[in-house]
Amino acid sequence: MRLPLALRSAVAGLATVTLVVLGPAAPASAATTIVDNATAGGFTASANWGTSTWSAQRYGADYRFATPNTTASDAAWFTATIAAAGPHTVEVWYPADAGYNNATPFVVATSGGNQTVVVDQRSNGGRWVSLGTFNLAAGTHSVVGVSRWTNGTGYVVADAIRLTSTTGSPAFSLPLAKSALPRSEYDDPHHDYPAIDLPVGTGTPAYAVRGGTVVIIDDSSCGRGVNLTGADGNVYTYCHFSSWSVANGATVVAGQQIGLTGNTGNSTGPHLHFGIRTGTTRRCPQNFLLALYDGVTPPAATSLPTTGCFYTSLTSATVQPLG
């Protein structure tokens, strides 16, 4: 929820922040490979996999589909050439439909063995959906498989994959593109506890502020959102998404898109709710975000204050509902 501009302006100077500058953030560096089911030498599947052009959400000219099988994997595999071993973000593209599988197993052939990520192919179709970040071996080999071995119902679909090297990626990222909001929005107080509301329209991409693992949130308060547990063990919370861009349990890197902003849950208008928690303690994220905006390494989450960043720290303020 956002408070009226007049109230925000009246109290803007009463919440103080301290910016801790520790040094420049690392630059990004990435190499991306896309493999479609029609890529020559890039896709193999048994005769049990059909070809369809039915959905307009497909990537390229067509996509492949098969019925579930509870006794054998019979996976369709995407093959790619990995130029250099190391961490890669693995994304998949598929058309979504109510008749497609709600528990499709995607198998990632990592340098440490196969890892499976289950995806609901009834939602988030027609876009890149992240399975997470995985260490991949160098060379040309099968990288992502789509398995038929599922108790879910509906067709399993194999359409396209995208692999992005994350070696040299930045350690931190703003949760929104820098062009989305002016710096002045990143020091606003929240309405009733340590957090911040960033006013952006529905459909604005939201990004992981640091690498970690995401857990999907879908409730009446936060709406659609994620808890991102960072490599530091702290939790970075995003609320009110219109949709997710990652699967539950996915491993992400800083700067990776994790959702699109919206107005779901307890919200009175489109915005991104962002919070930081260390253990059970909520922290004021304003100093952290200001540092990211300025392009410097942010202070450790454990050093962030717990007061002075929300309206109820003022005795005359009116408590607003969670949103």
Side-chain angles (χ1 to χ4, degrees):
M1 177 178 174
R2 297 285 295 172
L3 288 176
L5 180 61
L7 178 55
R8 290 165 55 199
S9 300
V11 299
L14 297 181
T16 60
V17 297
T18 302
L19 179 62
V20 180
V21 179
L22 301 180
S29 175
T32 298
T33 300
I34 294 177
V35 183
D36 182 50
N37 75 94
T39 300
F43 184 81
T44 56
S46 75
N48 296 316
W49 288 79
T51 302
S52 177
T53 60
W54 178 78
S55 177
Q57 291 184 340
R58 65 185 180 273
Y59 186 94
D62 54 32
Y63 56 98
R64 307 298 290 274
F65 69 96
T67 56
N69 186 332
T70 58
T71 61
S73 178
D74 188 24
W77 282 94
F78 292 90
T79 297
T81 299
I82 308 301
H88 289 70
T89 296
V90 178
E91 299 166 287
V92 296
W93 185 294
Y94 55 86
D97 185 79
Y100 294 161
N101 204 277
N102 61 333
T104 299
F106 282 85
V107 183
V108 182
T110 77
S111 55
N114 289 351
Q115 296 187 33
T116 301
V117 179
V118 175
V119 175
D120 180 358
Q121 292 192 305
R122 296 177 182 177
S123 62
N124 291 326
R127 67 185 66 176
W128 291 112
V129 175
S130 174
L131 301 183
T133 301
F134 307 86
N135 283 316
L136 303 180
T140 301
H141 54 87
S142 297
V143 179
V144 178
V146 187
S147 174
R148 296 175 59 205
W149 199 334
T150 173
N151 288 317
T153 57
Y155 291 124
V156 295
V157 174
D159 194 351
I161 67 167
R162 183 168 69 177
L163 311 173
T164 304
S165 169
T166 59
T167 300
S169 293
F172 300 96
S173 170
L174 273 171
L176 301 167
K178 193 170 185 179
S179 59
L181 290 172
R183 188 181 189 277
S184 58
E185 288 290 349
Y186 286 99
D187 63 359
D188 281 359
H190 190 255
H191 46 82
D192 58 355
Y193 63 87
I196 194 169
D197 290 332
L198 300 170
V200 287
T202 296
T204 302
Y207 305 103
V209 294
R210 66 174 304 151
T213 303
V214 299
V215 173
I216 296 296
I217 302 171
D218 191 5
D219 60 35
S220 60
S221 179
C222 184
R224 299 188 184 104
V226 301
N227 277 324
L228 165 60
T229 300
D232 56 3
N234 301 313
V235 178
Y236 302 83
T237 299
Y238 299 69
C239 290
H240 311 311
F241 284 174
S242 57
S243 64
W244 300 278
S245 302
V246 290
N248 189 50
T251 301
V252 299
V253 296
Q256 182 174 333
Q257 183 176 317
I258 57 176
L260 297 175
T261 62
N263 192 33
T264 59
N266 187 358
S267 173
T268 58
H271 70 282
L272 174 65
H273 170 100
F274 179 77
I276 299 175
R277 191 174 74 250
T278 59
T280 59
T281 303
R282 287 170 168 166
R283 302 281 178 173
C284 297
Q286 284 80 355
N287 296 6
F288 181 88
L289 296 174
L290 288 169
L292 294 179
Y293 191 92
D294 292 335
V296 299
T297 302
T302 52
S303 73
L304 296 172
T306 59
T307 60
C309 63
F310 51 100
Y311 290 111
T312 53
S313 62
L314 308 176
T315 57
S316 60
T318 301
V319 176
Q320 300 291 332
L322 178 63

